[in-house]
Amino acid sequence: GDGNFYDPQWNRYFEQRTTARMERTVAGRKRIAALWSRQEGRCPACGELITVESGWHVHHVEGRTGPNADALYKLRLLHPNCHMQTHFRKALS
């Protein structure tokens, strides 16, 4: 309830919530499958395969706000660790 969608410190929470919601719905699973297929099953951050065992997070390349924020061309599947590193590097810059 205290989370602020526009506060960068909450990015990870809201992206994890988006990923969990996508996994629970048919449309969400189709979106994950489309992202996985477009990326040829690989994490764009490290180049390694994304599998059920490795897990994944949905990353918003341009943030979660604005028009078409959830459009496929603005999303990437990343390994959980790669996702955290991406946000860490972004916070440092």
Side-chain angles (χ1 to χ4, degrees):
D2 294 333
N4 182 345
F5 192 74
Y6 300 101
D7 185 347
Q9 87 178 38
W10 288 91
N11 279 347
R12 201 163 118 212
Y13 166 76
F14 283 108
E15 286 186 348
Q16 288 173 341
R17 193 175 80 168
T18 298
T19 299
R21 187 179 313 135
M22 289 174 89
E23 291 172 344
R24 286 192 306 265
T25 66
V26 172
R29 287 190 296 272
K30 285 182 180 180
R31 179 174 278 181
I32 289 170
L35 289 169
W36 187 84
S37 178
R38 185 182 72 194
Q39 295 174 199
E40 298 179 351
R42 298 202 174 269
C43 174
C46 69
E48 297 295 320
L49 288 175
I50 295 174
T51 65
V52 172
E53 291 81 22
S54 70
W56 62 82
H57 285 175
V58 176
H59 176 66
H60 289 78
V61 177
E62 299 176 16
R64 293 179 321 278
T65 60
N68 301 320
D70 289 327
L72 283 179
Y73 69 93
K74 292 185 177 183
L75 301 174
R76 303 290 181 274
L77 288 182
L78 301 176
H79 291 117
N81 193 45
C82 294
H83 190 226
M84 285 191 311
Q85 290 176 6
T86 299
H87 281 284
F88 182 73
R89 276 187 237 120
K90 192 174 182 180
L92 291 177
S93 59

